Amino acid sequence: MENSSLFLSSSPNSLSLSPTKTTPAADCIRIGAPRTTTVLASSRVEFPSIRLHHSRSPLSPLCCTASEGILICAASESVKEEQEMALKDGQDDRIARISSAIRVIPNFPKPGILFQDITTLLLDTKAFKDTIDLFVERYKDKRISVVAGVEARGFIFGPPIALAIGAKFVPMRKPHKLPGEVISEEYSLEYGTDKIEMHVGAVEAGERALIIDDLIATGGTLCAAIRLLERVGVDVVECACVIELPELKGRARLGGKPLFVLVDAAA
């Protein structure tokens, strides 16, 4: 005898079922997304975590209940928000436009280096606007009050993002560039050390900050920026970069701090 079953189709934030017939199978199977499949009705259907390109954290699993041929899925608002953000990150054609607008220059500033040149991105008004828009869409509802830009190219992307989400912009500069009293944080280079500084009083304890730069390579500068802000009681929500050089493993140096990147580039 054939078992009564349900036909499951999925969309970014909804699931629907319709009656169908199928051969006997296990009561509950794990479903990958996004695809369409059939499952037998059961009391619980568990969906695995979904990891999409450009999204650091996998989405939380959804547990659904089946009753009288209807599948009811209850997802929290935070899960729905993560889904929307991850789907935008992984499927947005703006990413390809941004990537193609970045010029790669070999052997600069020294032999063996592939330099990721964002000046060509800035010349492309559509790609530049797409870049800012993607960051704004991600952070506009995150209650961020500080956008901290890392010298120097973080100064290009940080201010328009800060204005759009209603946050202040705080420049994080190299030594001896800021005129007022500063607080500084040292970090290691391949040979020697360097410092990053910001003005005393630029941020307040309890504020929520986004750190922005154009590129993450070894992660030393971003790591120093995180430590500097956290020393004065600021909650660093996330770091964001246009480009990541994944082979240099800078992400691993951030101590588990979330990192959002638009474009992966070969080191």
Side-chain angles (χ1 to χ4, degrees), residues 228-246:
L228 184 55
L229 289 166
E230 290 184 339
R231 276 172 52 194
V232 293
V234 172
D235 176 16
V236 177
V237 176
E238 194 161 89
C239 298
C241 296
V242 179
I243 308 164
E244 179 180 13
L245 304 181

Side-chain angles (χ1 to χ4, degrees), residues 59-92:
L59 302 184
S60 302
L62 295 176
C63 261
C64 305
T65 58
S67 176
E68 297 181 356
I70 300 174
L71 186 68
I72 303 172
C73 292
S76 67
E77 289 303 315
S78 61
V79 170
K80 291 179 181 178
E81 185 176 324
E82 277 192 297
Q83 286 176 321
E84 291 170 359
M85 291 170 65
L87 286 170
K88 285 179 183 178
D89 300 344
Q91 300 178 358
D92 202 311

Side-chain angles (χ1 to χ4, degrees), residues 84-255:
E84 291 170 359
M85 291 170 65
L87 286 170
K88 285 179 183 178
D89 300 344
Q91 300 178 358
D92 202 311
D93 60 5
R94 291 175 291 182
I95 300 293
R97 182 159 50 241
I98 293 165
S99 181
S100 65
I102 298 168
R103 177 171 58 180
V104 179
I105 300 178
N107 301 314
F108 182 85
K110 61 183 181 180
I113 300 295
L114 291 175
F115 185 80
Q116 305 291 322
D117 181 17
I118 55 109
T119 63
T120 48
L121 169 64
L122 305 179
L123 296 173
D124 186 330
T125 56
K126 177 62 176 171
F128 187 20
K129 182 179 184 300
D130 288 342
T131 302
I132 301 303
D133 287 349
L134 282 165
F135 287 127
V136 170
E137 288 165 14
R138 183 172 181 85
Y139 299 115
K140 62 183 179 180
D141 298 320
K142 292 297 186 182
R143 298 183 293 108
I144 289 170
S145 56
V146 175
V147 175
V150 176
E151 188 170 347
R153 290 179 287 273
F155 297 174
I156 296 171
F157 300 100
I161 296 169
L163 286 173
I165 66 175
K168 61 186 176 183
F169 177 75
V170 175
M172 309 196 80
R173 303 215 61 182
K174 295 177 181 178
H176 314 301
K177 298 290 187 180
L178 293 171
E181 183 183 0
V182 299
I183 179 173
S184 63
E185 183 70 30
E186 189 173 90
Y187 62 98
S188 298
L189 301 172
E190 185 177 1
Y191 301 103
T193 61
D194 205 345
K195 289 182 180 180
I196 190 169
E197 298 180 340
M198 71 176 177
H199 272 139
V200 171
V203 296
E204 298 178 3
E207 288 194 288
R208 289 167 57 82
L210 165 70
I211 302 174
I212 183 82
D213 203 355
D214 70 319
L215 179 144
I216 177 171
T218 61
T221 310
L222 283 180
C223 194
I226 293 169
R227 293 197 305 266
L228 184 55
L229 289 166
E230 290 184 339
R231 276 172 52 194
V232 293
V234 172
D235 176 16
V236 177
V237 176
E238 194 161 89
C239 298
C241 296
V242 179
I243 308 164
E244 179 180 13
L245 304 181
E247 292 182 14
L248 298 182
K249 301 180 180 179
R251 183 187 292 267
R253 294 187 62 184
L254 302 183

